[in-house]
Amino acid sequence: MINFELSQEQKEIHTMAMKFARQEMIPKASEYDQKSEMPLEILEKAWSLGLVNTCIPTEFGGTGFSTMDSMIITEALAYGCLGMNTALMANDLALLPIVIGGDDVQKKKFLTPFTESYKIAAFCLTEPGNGSDAGGIKTSIKDGGDHWLINGQKMWITNAGYADLFTLYGTIDPELKHKGISAVVIEKGTEGIEIGAAEKKMGHCCSDTRSVTFKDVKIPKENMLGAPGDGWKIAMKTLDHSRPMVAASAVGGAQCSLDYATQYSKERVQFNKPIAAHQAIQFMLADMATKIEAARLLVYKSAWLIDQGLSNTKIASMAKAFASDSFMQVATDAVQIYGGYGYSKEYPVEKLMRDAKLIQIYEGTSQIQRLVIAKEVLK
Amino acid sequence: MNIFVCVKQVPDTETKITPSGDGTFIETSSIKWIMNPYDEFAVEQALLLKAANAGSTVTVLRVGSTQDTEALRTALAMGADEAILVEGQDNLDSYMIAKSLKGAIEKSGKNPDILFTGKQAIDDDCLQVPQLLAQMIDMPSVSVVVGFESEGGKVTLKREVEGGALEVYEVNTPVVVACNKGINTPRYASLPGIMKAKKKPLQNLSLADVGVSGDDRRVKYSNFQLPPEKPPGKKFDAMDEGKQAEIVAEVVQLLRNEAKVI
């Protein structure tokens, strides 16, 4: 009944994605991190090999990956660089609402161009005053007769400075709370979009994060996903897909941290033997490896549930909370094993520790995940 | 154009190698297999040639065990059209491999216009199969090729020789070309490529199908061992000026008679 083995094809996908991570991403990760610049060339190469926009269905030009396949890809890309993976994963996050809530005309119009050339998308949910409390968003979507009129400000928007397309959540009436939330697609160049300055961040430095202000932005009526008020449903379904993906990225980062720490512990000699021969280090490595294995299984199960057409809300939140908290602990321990060298930017683990922190925050904080889990447990 | 590529599956370079219990080969049970890196250049060159000659097909051949078909599947995912696997153990000698490849080419029903290989496999480093195969199928062969141009029935090949110099060969096809690093940059197998590869034909043949038996073995493996551990380096204290001439003489003597490098 239970089979933990990846299919032959999934093994090949893993091998290929890891090869890309090792050969294209890792050698450049530190450089782009330190200059806080989007490595567009690497991202485009990833796209050309089919590693990006894995959520697009085959009918609209996608490759036809299962959710499980995309977990394998995301883990590998995050192993290469968390920042680059964020830039790539944000595309899926912004396109998923179209896959989930769009009709065929919208899917063809908005998704297919992403399969024809490397394009960038941005997901606009969070606002300056509303993060975890997403139900209270203030950005307004008003019926202007033959168009929708958008006004409001969005915060911490990944890819904003480069985006060809924005998926935005706003409300048709704040009084309606969740029932007023609606999702629309806004194309680049639409009048009234103001892109803020790039945020200076602790980690994921090579990804682009900005505020975006929408001032009297007019969009065609047919750019709304589903009916007015369908936004919350679409957002929740999107999260069921995207949380496992973010959890998979935590597993990739944690695995990378463990691999560095393991290798270093065999090379570093103290008291006349490699530090790996000291039990104090061995116990740390054992705990790190165990957390990663457990997190990966949660990720796989949460993806498997989607592929079976079953509800994964509880397991997806478990995966997201456990994997991101584990990544933070594993990366911190990797720095500890490296000692003084671990704190230096000359070595790779300090970046992993900075990058880990964000995974506990974005796509629902670890605390919000626990609220979701508790709600499911108490049902 | 019928383009053929021969690939070998070798242990990943990071694999820890241990001799098998009876010493006739290495332990293969826990090895992660990859395509021989020099063969990636061969596959890439075949695909480039195919792209330049509409209607061409690329057939990939491999001789070895079936426990993992990584190398052939990678070649198909990179863009080769079909594959033939001759099932045999992984410890066949170069002669048996060359003869198996010859048999597989005959079984394919196609006459190769050009046949690419890597210049050597990184596991046994024999550097023999391309030349043996060329002899058996009566084709010229050029090895260590770093430059390739094709026009009409002719190819111009650049070959690396000692000292970084290049030899240039103009050869009529059909020809066996054994590729070296530098000839091209192998492409990645794209994810859509991996998905498409599943549907491409992969033919399985036995050694008997290609006319090879145990009698063809020319090299018998009997005593695989790990190389002896390196003894620690010798240190000479030459700080005392009075002793330097004496120490230099001793070092020269050791380099000549013990290390045998001068």
Side-chain angles (χ1 to χ4, degrees), chain A residues 8-9 12 16 19-20 23-24 49-51 63-65 73, chain B residues 32 40 68-70 73 77 188-192 194-195 198:
Chain A
Q8 176 64 36
E9 190 182 289
E12 285 169 43
M16 181 269 160
K19 190 173 170 185
F20 184 82
Q23 293 184 358
E24 309 290 332
L49 293 168
L51 292 161
T63 312
F65 288 119
I73 296 167
Chain B
K32 179 172 164 24
E40 287 189 29
D68 188 339
T69 50
E70 176 70 27
R73 296 178 69 99
Y188 285 90
S190 74
L191 295 190
I194 290 173
M195 310 292 260
K198 273 191 306 187

Side-chain angles (χ1 to χ4, degrees), chain B residues 67-85:
Chain B
Q67 54 183 332
D68 188 339
T69 50
E70 176 70 27
L72 284 183
R73 296 178 69 99
T74 303
L76 292 174
M78 285 169 78
D81 299 291
E82 53 190 279
I84 302 176
L85 171 66

